[in-house]
Amino acid sequence: MTGTAIVKSGSRIGRTRPDGIWVATNPVFEEQLNMLAGGNLVKGYTPDIAYDMAQLALKKIPSCELVEYIGSDEEEYDHGKIY
């Protein structure tokens, strides 16, 4: 399972998709996110690709900041909760 990360750079906002692709309000920012912090750049096993993608974006895009991170609900399913 994967969560969702939302990052911001100026007035541009990007959000992770479960398939490891970024979508953004600005096409140039979207391309920048996918080239510098796309899911294909995350190496090895990760419990949540969205978190790792956001960390790459923060590291590689100087003006980028994490606005929101919504973790996966894997823990809730592990404890038997049904939603």
Side-chain angles (χ1 to χ4, degrees):
M1 303 193 87
T2 185
T4 301
I6 301 171
V7 296
K8 179 180 173 184
S9 178
S11 63
R12 306 171 301 175
I13 297 174
R15 173 188 294 263
T16 58
R17 290 187 350 193
D19 59 357
I21 303 291
W22 286 95
V23 291
T25 56
N26 178 297
V28 174
F29 186 51
E30 183 174 314
E31 185 175 344
Q32 184 181 31
L33 285 167
N34 282 309
M35 288 182 67
L36 298 175
N40 60 326
L41 299 173
V42 175
K43 304 294 182 199
Y45 170 78
T46 179
D48 193 340
I49 195 168
Y51 179 80
D52 290 338
M53 289 169 61
Q55 292 303 311
L56 280 173
L58 296 176
K59 184 190 300 185
K60 294 185 177 184
I61 303 171
S63 62
C64 198
E65 61 184 68
L66 183 62
V67 174
E68 184 176 4
Y69 171 71
I70 304 164
S72 68
D73 54 357
E74 190 171 304
E75 292 177 13
E76 294 159 348
Y77 285 110
D78 286 345
H79 297 295
K81 294 180 182 176
I82 300 172
Y83 295 93

